[in-house]
Amino acid sequence: NLDVGNLAGTIHNVTSDQSTLGKPLTFVFAGDQLKGVNAVALEGTLDHIIPAQSRDKLALKAKGYELADVALSKDSRWPVTLKSGLGDIAVDATLQGRGLAAQGAGNLRALQLAAGVSGDTNPLTKSLSSAVSGISQLSLKANVTGTLDNYDVELSSDLDRILQDAAGKMVNELAAKFGSQLQAAISAKISEPMKQLQETLGGFNAIGGDLGDRLGQHTEVLNSLLEKSLPSKSLKKLPGGLKLPF
């Protein structure tokens, strides 16, 4: 009976001299509806039959582990806090002598995350904050190697992909915004010259029409003068049968 609730289980081969018994100690515990976690299962083996070649194994599974107010980033420029959520976790660890090897996997769900600071004007952190705040589920993987005194932890999650997607989306949005602003600026710059050019061309059209009218009038006057100054009979007696073009 623990503070978190009730765990039931068994322990076998309890002895202070495994080398005499010739069997490792084994244990299995399980519990559900515990404080802060829905269910837990724990089992392991402590093998010290040959003390110089001791080998301990542990397997832990927890379902519905309650997460609350966990600071994921304490950077004042871009803090990230896990307000609440649930985690399903599985861990397998082996300790051989002083050497440690462990693998873990977790699925975090029903998440509520808060990111960024109020009044942030940086487009990158604003985009990342928006992406992080919209996350409701995450998967995690961990790998631990080394010794009890000096070990390395490799941690990966799909948070990397989410942040990369957010950054890429932000870049695309900025590029599209810049393109629209550039097009608007260019249009504003050339609108007045284009208007002036259209007015100039329109003036040329009016001048062309006026010239056409004047030429037509001059042609009529010229034809009238020629008809009056040249006898009509002579028009039919030009050499070679030539005709005047009027």
Side-chain angles (χ1 to χ4, degrees):
N1 191 336
L2 303 176
D3 289 341
V4 296
N6 294 324
L7 288 174
T10 58
I11 304 176
H12 295 285
N13 306 323
V14 179
T15 179
S16 60
D17 188 1
Q18 285 191 9
S19 57
T20 299
L21 182 63
K23 294 181 179 180
L25 181 148
T26 61
F27 59 88
V28 176
F29 292 98
D32 54 17
Q33 302 302 320
L34 307 177
K35 182 180 179 181
V37 60
N38 186 43
V40 172
L42 177 67
E43 61 180 273
T45 301
L46 306 180
D47 187 348
H48 294 248
I49 296 173
I50 303 176
Q53 301 177 8
S54 64
R55 185 181 180 87
D56 301 335
K57 291 184 177 182
L58 175 69
L60 169 67
K61 291 183 179 181
K63 186 174 182 180
Y65 183 78
E66 295 181 3
L67 305 166
D69 296 324
V70 180
L72 302 180
S73 171
K74 296 182 180 180
D75 191 324
S76 60
R77 295 168 298 180
W78 194 60
V80 181
T81 303
L82 174 57
K83 293 294 186 180
S84 63
L86 297 173
D88 301 330
I89 304 167
V91 178
D92 290 298
T94 299
L95 181 63
Q96 189 165 358
R98 302 292 295 178
L100 174 65
Q103 298 80 39
N107 180 48
L108 308 183
R109 50 194 170 83
L111 300 179
Q112 290 187 348
L113 290 153
V117 293
S118 177
D120 186 8
T121 58
N122 186 301
L124 177 58
T125 51
K126 284 181 65 178
S127 180
L128 295 178
S129 297
S130 177
V132 169
S133 299
I135 295 173
S136 61
Q137 182 170 322
L138 279 176
S139 61
L140 305 171
K141 288 185 179 180
N143 188 47
V144 181
T145 56
T147 67
L148 285 175
D149 305 315
N150 185 18
Y151 55 86
D152 295 320
V153 179
E154 293 181 3
L155 182 64
S156 63
S157 74
D158 48 7
L159 180 61
D160 300 334
R161 175 188 56 77
I162 292 171
L163 294 180
Q164 289 174 359
D165 290 347
K169 181 180 179 182
M170 183 273 298
V171 170
N172 291 335
E173 289 177 349
L174 287 179
K177 184 177 181 181
F178 174 74
S180 298
Q181 291 175 342
L182 180 61
Q183 184 176 0
I186 292 174
S187 298
K189 286 291 184 182
I190 68 172
S191 61
E192 186 61 28
M194 286 297 294
K195 183 179 179 181
Q196 293 176 357
L197 179 60
Q198 290 174 354
E199 292 175 352
T200 301
L201 291 176
F204 280 127
N205 290 334
I207 293 172
D210 184 57
L211 286 174
D213 292 342
R214 291 179 180 273
L215 286 174
Q217 293 173 5
H218 291 324
T219 300
E220 291 177 358
V221 172
L222 181 59
N223 287 338
S224 176
L225 290 173
L226 288 173
E227 288 177 356
K228 291 179 180 180
S229 60
L230 294 175
S232 59
K233 291 183 179 180
S234 64
L235 296 179
K236 300 180 181 178
K237 297 179 180 180
L238 290 175
L242 296 176
K243 297 180 179 180
L244 291 174
F246 42 74

